[in-house]
PDB file of all heavy atoms in Angstrom:
ATOM      1  N   THR G   1     125.933  80.680 107.024  1.00  0.00           N
ATOM      2  CA  THR G   1     125.337  79.378 106.540  1.00  0.00           C
ATOM      3  C   THR G   1     126.194  78.839 105.329  1.00  0.00           C
ATOM      4  O   THR G   1     126.803  79.631 104.683  1.00  0.00           O
ATOM      5  CB  THR G   1     123.871  79.613 106.089  1.00  0.00           C
ATOM      6  OG1 THR G   1     123.273  78.348 105.834  1.00  0.00           O
ATOM      7  CG2 THR G   1     123.843  80.483 104.890  1.00  0.00           C
ATOM      8  N   PRO G   2     126.224  77.534 105.233  1.00  0.00           N
ATOM      9  CA  PRO G   2     127.012  76.942 104.097  1.00  0.00           C
ATOM     10  C   PRO G   2     126.460  77.338 102.746  1.00  0.00           C
ATOM     11  O   PRO G   2     125.265  77.511 102.598  1.00  0.00           O
ATOM     12  CB  PRO G   2     126.859  75.397 104.322  1.00  0.00           C
ATOM     13  CG  PRO G   2     126.489  75.287 105.754  1.00  0.00           C
ATOM     14  CD  PRO G   2     125.690  76.490 106.126  1.00  0.00           C
ATOM     15  N   PHE G   3     127.314  77.383 101.796  1.00  0.00           N
ATOM     16  CA  PHE G   3     126.939  77.849 100.473  1.00  0.00           C
ATOM     17  C   PHE G   3     125.994  76.967  99.768  1.00  0.00           C
ATOM     18  O   PHE G   3     125.194  77.384  98.911  1.00  0.00           O
ATOM     19  CB  PHE G   3     128.166  78.119  99.586  1.00  0.00           C
ATOM     20  CG  PHE G   3     128.777  76.862  99.044  1.00  0.00           C
ATOM     21  CD1 PHE G   3     128.678  76.547  97.737  1.00  0.00           C
ATOM     22  CD2 PHE G   3     129.543  76.050  99.861  1.00  0.00           C
ATOM     23  CE1 PHE G   3     129.243  75.393  97.204  1.00  0.00           C
ATOM     24  CE2 PHE G   3     130.175  74.890  99.360  1.00  0.00           C
ATOM     25  CZ  PHE G   3     130.006  74.555  97.999  1.00  0.00           C
ATOM     26  N   LYS G   4     125.921  75.662 100.144  1.00  0.00           N
ATOM     27  CA  LYS G   4     125.055  74.748  99.512  1.00  0.00           C
ATOM     28  C   LYS G   4     123.672  74.597 100.209  1.00  0.00           C
ATOM     29  O   LYS G   4     122.885  73.790  99.801  1.00  0.00           O
ATOM     30  CB  LYS G   4     125.689  73.341  99.428  1.00  0.00           C
ATOM     31  CG  LYS G   4     126.772  73.259  98.353  1.00  0.00           C
ATOM     32  CD  LYS G   4     127.125  71.822  98.098  1.00  0.00           C
ATOM     33  CE  LYS G   4     128.127  71.811  96.898  1.00  0.00           C
ATOM     34  NZ  LYS G   4     128.531  70.466  96.569  1.00  0.00           N
ATOM     35  N   SER G   5     123.468  75.424 101.187  1.00  0.00           N
ATOM     36  CA  SER G   5     122.177  75.368 101.932  1.00  0.00           C
ATOM     37  C   SER G   5     121.185  76.288 101.180  1.00  0.00           C
ATOM     38  O   SER G   5     120.754  77.330 101.761  1.00  0.00           O
ATOM     39  CB  SER G   5     122.422  75.798 103.359  1.00  0.00           C
ATOM     40  OG  SER G   5     123.190  74.875 104.009  1.00  0.00           O
ATOM     41  N   TYR G   6     120.784  75.936 100.009  1.00  0.00           N
ATOM     42  CA  TYR G   6     119.993  76.798  99.117  1.00  0.00           C
ATOM     43  C   TYR G   6     118.669  77.145  99.749  1.00  0.00           C
ATOM     44  O   TYR G   6     118.192  78.287  99.588  1.00  0.00           O
ATOM     45  CB  TYR G   6     119.788  76.114  97.781  1.00  0.00           C
ATOM     46  CG  TYR G   6     121.085  75.676  97.143  1.00  0.00           C
ATOM     47  CD1 TYR G   6     121.340  74.313  96.908  1.00  0.00           C
ATOM     48  CD2 TYR G   6     122.022  76.582  96.758  1.00  0.00           C
ATOM     49  CE1 TYR G   6     122.512  73.869  96.306  1.00  0.00           C
ATOM     50  CE2 TYR G   6     123.190  76.179  96.182  1.00  0.00           C
ATOM     51  CZ  TYR G   6     123.472  74.847  95.912  1.00  0.00           C
ATOM     52  OH  TYR G   6     124.618  74.394  95.355  1.00  0.00           O
ATOM     53  N   ARG G   7     118.018  76.189 100.429  1.00  0.00           N
ATOM     54  CA  ARG G   7     116.710  76.521 100.999  1.00  0.00           C
ATOM     55  C   ARG G   7     116.912  77.589 102.109  1.00  0.00           C
ATOM     56  O   ARG G   7     116.007  78.435 102.283  1.00  0.00           O
ATOM     57  CB  ARG G   7     116.051  75.222 101.581  1.00  0.00           C
ATOM     58  CG  ARG G   7     115.617  74.321 100.448  1.00  0.00           C
ATOM     59  CD  ARG G   7     114.676  73.206 100.886  1.00  0.00           C
ATOM     60  NE  ARG G   7     115.096  72.651 102.232  1.00  0.00           N
ATOM     61  CZ  ARG G   7     114.566  71.601 102.741  1.00  0.00           C
ATOM     62  NH1 ARG G   7     113.723  70.859 101.981  1.00  0.00           N
ATOM     63  NH2 ARG G   7     114.902  71.185 103.905  1.00  0.00           N
ATOM     64  N   ASN G   8     117.968  77.419 102.912  1.00  0.00           N
ATOM     65  CA  ASN G   8     118.263  78.461 103.899  1.00  0.00           C
ATOM     66  C   ASN G   8     118.426  79.796 103.282  1.00  0.00           C
ATOM     67  O   ASN G   8     117.847  80.824 103.833  1.00  0.00           O
ATOM     68  CB  ASN G   8     119.536  78.085 104.673  1.00  0.00           C
ATOM     69  CG  ASN G   8     119.377  76.779 105.529  1.00  0.00           C
ATOM     70  OD1 ASN G   8     118.290  76.197 105.617  1.00  0.00           O
ATOM     71  ND2 ASN G   8     120.431  76.485 106.201  1.00  0.00           N
ATOM     72  N   HIS G   9     119.181  79.879 102.184  1.00  0.00           N
ATOM     73  CA  HIS G   9     119.423  81.179 101.544  1.00  0.00           C
ATOM     74  C   HIS G   9     118.091  81.769 101.180  1.00  0.00           C
ATOM     75  O   HIS G   9     117.840  82.973 101.421  1.00  0.00           O
ATOM     76  CB  HIS G   9     120.222  81.017 100.284  1.00  0.00           C
ATOM     77  CG  HIS G   9     121.545  80.342 100.508  1.00  0.00           C
ATOM     78  ND1 HIS G   9     122.301  79.801  99.486  1.00  0.00           N
ATOM     79  CD2 HIS G   9     122.256  80.043 101.647  1.00  0.00           C
ATOM     80  CE1 HIS G   9     123.431  79.257  99.980  1.00  0.00           C
ATOM     81  NE2 HIS G   9     123.378  79.385 101.281  1.00  0.00           N
ATOM     82  N   HIS G  10     117.165  80.981 100.622  1.00  0.00           N
ATOM     83  CA  HIS G  10     115.872  81.450 100.138  1.00  0.00           C
ATOM     84  C   HIS G  10     115.086  82.071 101.380  1.00  0.00           C
ATOM     85  O   HIS G  10     114.476  83.138 101.289  1.00  0.00           O
ATOM     86  CB  HIS G  10     115.108  80.349  99.497  1.00  0.00           C
ATOM     87  CG  HIS G  10     113.672  80.762  99.151  1.00  0.00           C
ATOM     88  ND1 HIS G  10     113.389  81.529  98.093  1.00  0.00           N
ATOM     89  CD2 HIS G  10     112.517  80.458  99.750  1.00  0.00           C
ATOM     90  CE1 HIS G  10     112.057  81.757  98.025  1.00  0.00           C
ATOM     91  NE2 HIS G  10     111.535  81.041  99.016  1.00  0.00           N
ATOM     92  N   VAL G  11     115.092  81.301 102.466  1.00  0.00           N
ATOM     93  CA  VAL G  11     114.337  81.785 103.668  1.00  0.00           C
ATOM     94  C   VAL G  11     114.920  83.096 104.226  1.00  0.00           C
ATOM     95  O   VAL G  11     114.199  84.013 104.486  1.00  0.00           O
ATOM     96  CB  VAL G  11     114.326  80.689 104.724  1.00  0.00           C
ATOM     97  CG1 VAL G  11     113.832  81.264 106.034  1.00  0.00           C
ATOM     98  CG2 VAL G  11     113.457  79.489 104.302  1.00  0.00           C
ATOM     99  N   TYR G  12     116.241  83.126 104.372  1.00  0.00           N
ATOM    100  CA  TYR G  12     116.856  84.337 104.896  1.00  0.00           C
ATOM    101  C   TYR G  12     116.592  85.550 103.969  1.00  0.00           C
ATOM    102  O   TYR G  12     116.308  86.629 104.510  1.00  0.00           O
ATOM    103  CB  TYR G  12     118.351  84.137 105.079  1.00  0.00           C
ATOM    104  CG  TYR G  12     118.744  82.990 105.992  1.00  0.00           C
ATOM    105  CD1 TYR G  12     119.787  82.188 105.726  1.00  0.00           C
ATOM    106  CD2 TYR G  12     117.959  82.675 107.128  1.00  0.00           C
ATOM    107  CE1 TYR G  12     120.179  81.070 106.529  1.00  0.00           C
ATOM    108  CE2 TYR G  12     118.274  81.619 107.970  1.00  0.00           C
ATOM    109  CZ  TYR G  12     119.369  80.826 107.655  1.00  0.00           C
ATOM    110  OH  TYR G  12     119.706  79.810 108.464  1.00  0.00           O
ATOM    111  N   GLU G  13     116.721  85.392 102.721  1.00  0.00           N
ATOM    112  CA  GLU G  13     116.477  86.444 101.832  1.00  0.00           C
ATOM    113  C   GLU G  13     115.005  86.932 101.837  1.00  0.00           C
ATOM    114  O   GLU G  13     114.744  88.091 101.826  1.00  0.00           O
ATOM    115  CB  GLU G  13     116.983  86.156 100.387  1.00  0.00           C
ATOM    116  CG  GLU G  13     118.488  86.032 100.356  1.00  0.00           C
ATOM    117  CD  GLU G  13     119.021  85.383  99.107  1.00  0.00           C
ATOM    118  OE1 GLU G  13     118.262  85.101  98.129  1.00  0.00           O
ATOM    119  OE2 GLU G  13     120.304  85.133  99.064  1.00  0.00           O
ATOM    120  N   LYS G  14     114.138  85.988 101.937  1.00  0.00           N
ATOM    121  CA  LYS G  14     112.711  86.271 102.017  1.00  0.00           C
ATOM    122  C   LYS G  14     112.460  87.067 103.301  1.00  0.00           C
ATOM    123  O   LYS G  14     111.528  87.881 103.284  1.00  0.00           O
ATOM    124  CB  LYS G  14     111.968  84.993 101.989  1.00  0.00           C
ATOM    125  CG  LYS G  14     110.439  85.076 101.972  1.00  0.00           C
ATOM    126  CD  LYS G  14     109.837  83.729 101.819  1.00  0.00           C
ATOM    127  CE  LYS G  14     108.321  83.826 101.841  1.00  0.00           C
ATOM    128  NZ  LYS G  14     107.759  82.481 101.652  1.00  0.00           N
ATOM    129  N   MET G  15     113.168  86.813 104.324  1.00  0.00           N
ATOM    130  CA  MET G  15     113.014  87.502 105.590  1.00  0.00           C
ATOM    131  C   MET G  15     113.743  88.792 105.680  1.00  0.00           C
ATOM    132  O   MET G  15     113.781  89.449 106.775  1.00  0.00           O
ATOM    133  CB  MET G  15     113.471  86.577 106.752  1.00  0.00           C
ATOM    134  CG  MET G  15     112.679  85.274 106.881  1.00  0.00           C
ATOM    135  SD  MET G  15     110.980  85.515 107.453  1.00  0.00           S
ATOM    136  CE  MET G  15     111.253  86.168 109.036  1.00  0.00           C
ATOM    137  N   GLY G  16     114.406  89.263 104.603  1.00  0.00           N
ATOM    138  CA  GLY G  16     115.089  90.495 104.601  1.00  0.00           C
ATOM    139  C   GLY G  16     116.567  90.483 104.840  1.00  0.00           C
ATOM    140  O   GLY G  16     117.189  91.531 104.973  1.00  0.00           O
ATOM    141  N   TYR G  17     117.170  89.313 105.016  1.00  0.00           N
ATOM    142  CA  TYR G  17     118.598  89.209 105.207  1.00  0.00           C
ATOM    143  C   TYR G  17     119.334  89.306 103.848  1.00  0.00           C
ATOM    144  O   TYR G  17     118.804  88.870 102.802  1.00  0.00           O
ATOM    145  CB  TYR G  17     118.957  87.856 105.911  1.00  0.00           C
ATOM    146  CG  TYR G  17     118.537  87.760 107.296  1.00  0.00           C
ATOM    147  CD1 TYR G  17     117.152  87.594 107.658  1.00  0.00           C
ATOM    148  CD2 TYR G  17     119.458  87.899 108.307  1.00  0.00           C
ATOM    149  CE1 TYR G  17     116.733  87.526 108.947  1.00  0.00           C
ATOM    150  CE2 TYR G  17     119.031  87.802 109.698  1.00  0.00           C
ATOM    151  CZ  TYR G  17     117.722  87.647 109.968  1.00  0.00           C
ATOM    152  OH  TYR G  17     117.316  87.557 111.292  1.00  0.00           O
ATOM    153  N   VAL G  18     120.425  89.927 103.903  1.00  0.00           N
ATOM    154  CA  VAL G  18     121.213  90.170 102.655  1.00  0.00           C
ATOM    155  C   VAL G  18     122.602  89.540 102.777  1.00  0.00           C
ATOM    156  O   VAL G  18     123.232  89.636 103.856  1.00  0.00           O
ATOM    157  CB  VAL G  18     121.386  91.713 102.444  1.00  0.00           C
ATOM    158  CG1 VAL G  18     122.297  91.988 101.266  1.00  0.00           C
ATOM    159  CG2 VAL G  18     120.061  92.448 102.326  1.00  0.00           C
ATOM    160  N   LYS G  19     122.993  88.848 101.762  1.00  0.00           N
ATOM    161  CA  LYS G  19     124.330  88.211 101.776  1.00  0.00           C
ATOM    162  C   LYS G  19     125.333  89.344 101.690  1.00  0.00           C
ATOM    163  O   LYS G  19     125.332  90.125 100.713  1.00  0.00           O
ATOM    164  CB  LYS G  19     124.461  87.173 100.586  1.00  0.00           C
ATOM    165  CG  LYS G  19     125.808  86.483 100.706  1.00  0.00           C
ATOM    166  CD  LYS G  19     125.876  85.358  99.675  1.00  0.00           C
ATOM    167  CE  LYS G  19     126.193  85.926  98.318  1.00  0.00           C
ATOM    168  NZ  LYS G  19     126.521  84.936  97.279  1.00  0.00           N
ATOM    169  N   VAL G  20     126.314  89.364 102.680  1.00  0.00           N
ATOM    170  CA  VAL G  20     127.253  90.438 102.684  1.00  0.00           C
ATOM    171  C   VAL G  20     128.704  90.015 102.523  1.00  0.00           C
ATOM    172  O   VAL G  20     129.577  90.787 102.294  1.00  0.00           O
ATOM    173  CB  VAL G  20     127.167  91.231 104.031  1.00  0.00           C
ATOM    174  CG1 VAL G  20     125.825  91.963 104.095  1.00  0.00           C
ATOM    175  CG2 VAL G  20     127.360  90.346 105.276  1.00  0.00           C
ATOM    176  N   GLU G  21     128.879  88.619 102.587  1.00  0.00           N
ATOM    177  CA  GLU G  21     130.253  88.114 102.547  1.00  0.00           C
ATOM    178  C   GLU G  21     130.262  86.630 102.143  1.00  0.00           C
ATOM    179  O   GLU G  21     129.300  85.911 102.509  1.00  0.00           O
ATOM    180  CB  GLU G  21     130.992  88.361 103.809  1.00  0.00           C
ATOM    181  CG  GLU G  21     132.433  87.984 103.865  1.00  0.00           C
ATOM    182  CD  GLU G  21     133.076  88.186 105.191  1.00  0.00           C
ATOM    183  OE1 GLU G  21     132.550  88.963 106.052  1.00  0.00           O
ATOM    184  OE2 GLU G  21     134.111  87.617 105.468  1.00  0.00           O
ATOM    185  N   GLU G  22     131.242  86.172 101.490  1.00  0.00           N
ATOM    186  CA  GLU G  22     131.537  84.760 101.216  1.00  0.00           C
ATOM    187  C   GLU G  22     132.980  84.514 101.681  1.00  0.00           C
ATOM    188  O   GLU G  22     133.854  85.338 101.418  1.00  0.00           O
ATOM    189  CB  GLU G  22     131.446  84.382  99.733  1.00  0.00           C
ATOM    190  CG  GLU G  22     130.086  84.482  99.127  1.00  0.00           C
ATOM    191  CD  GLU G  22     130.112  84.110  97.663  1.00  0.00           C
ATOM    192  OE1 GLU G  22     131.023  83.349  97.259  1.00  0.00           O
ATOM    193  OE2 GLU G  22     129.262  84.566  96.974  1.00  0.00           O
ATOM    194  N   TYR G  23     133.211  83.390 102.293  1.00  0.00           N
ATOM    195  CA  TYR G  23     134.617  83.053 102.692  1.00  0.00           C
ATOM    196  C   TYR G  23     134.792  81.580 102.661  1.00  0.00           C
ATOM    197  O   TYR G  23     133.804  80.842 102.901  1.00  0.00           O
ATOM    198  CB  TYR G  23     135.055  83.707 103.960  1.00  0.00           C
ATOM    199  CG  TYR G  23     134.273  83.254 105.170  1.00  0.00           C
ATOM    200  CD1 TYR G  23     134.710  82.148 105.940  1.00  0.00           C
ATOM    201  CD2 TYR G  23     133.135  83.873 105.602  1.00  0.00           C
ATOM    202  CE1 TYR G  23     134.050  81.711 107.027  1.00  0.00           C
ATOM    203  CE2 TYR G  23     132.422  83.454 106.683  1.00  0.00           C
ATOM    204  CZ  TYR G  23     132.893  82.303 107.441  1.00  0.00           C
ATOM    205  OH  TYR G  23     132.196  81.908 108.526  1.00  0.00           O
ATOM    206  N   ARG G  24     135.996  81.185 102.439  1.00  0.00           N
ATOM    207  CA  ARG G  24     136.315  79.701 102.361  1.00  0.00           C
ATOM    208  C   ARG G  24     136.676  79.168 103.780  1.00  0.00           C
ATOM    209  O   ARG G  24     137.610  79.707 104.410  1.00  0.00           O
ATOM    210  CB  ARG G  24     137.476  79.471 101.425  1.00  0.00           C
ATOM    211  CG  ARG G  24     137.797  78.020 101.171  1.00  0.00           C
ATOM    212  CD  ARG G  24     138.833  77.768 100.074  1.00  0.00           C
ATOM    213  NE  ARG G  24     138.212  78.133  98.751  1.00  0.00           N
ATOM    214  CZ  ARG G  24     137.358  77.386  98.030  1.00  0.00           C
ATOM    215  NH1 ARG G  24     137.015  76.270  98.540  1.00  0.00           N
ATOM    216  NH2 ARG G  24     136.935  77.833  96.887  1.00  0.00           N
ATOM    217  N   GLN G  25     135.876  78.283 104.261  1.00  0.00           N
ATOM    218  CA  GLN G  25     136.097  77.651 105.567  1.00  0.00           C
ATOM    219  C   GLN G  25     137.160  76.580 105.484  1.00  0.00           C
ATOM    220  O   GLN G  25     137.943  76.371 106.405  1.00  0.00           O
ATOM    221  CB  GLN G  25     134.786  77.070 106.117  1.00  0.00           C
ATOM    222  CG  GLN G  25     134.851  76.528 107.493  1.00  0.00           C
ATOM    223  CD  GLN G  25     134.884  77.604 108.592  1.00  0.00           C
ATOM    224  OE1 GLN G  25     134.427  78.728 108.388  1.00  0.00           O
ATOM    225  NE2 GLN G  25     135.421  77.235 109.718  1.00  0.00           N
TER     226      GLN G  25
END
């Protein structure tokens, strides 16, 4: 997901997903 999709990040983390990597597209 894009880094600026803050609401997405919140949902994924709430559902147990963990951010494992960042990369420049």
Side-chain angles (χ1 to χ4, degrees):
T1 189
F3 77 106
K4 285 192 175 182
S5 296
Y6 308 115
R7 290 189 328 190
N8 293 359
H9 305 165
H10 174 74
V11 169
Y12 301 143
E13 290 167 8
K14 186 175 180 178
M15 298 290 299
Y17 289 74
V18 176
K19 185 172 77 170
V20 295
E21 185 180 341
E22 293 182 25
Y23 64 92
R24 186 170 293 281
Q25 183 77 24

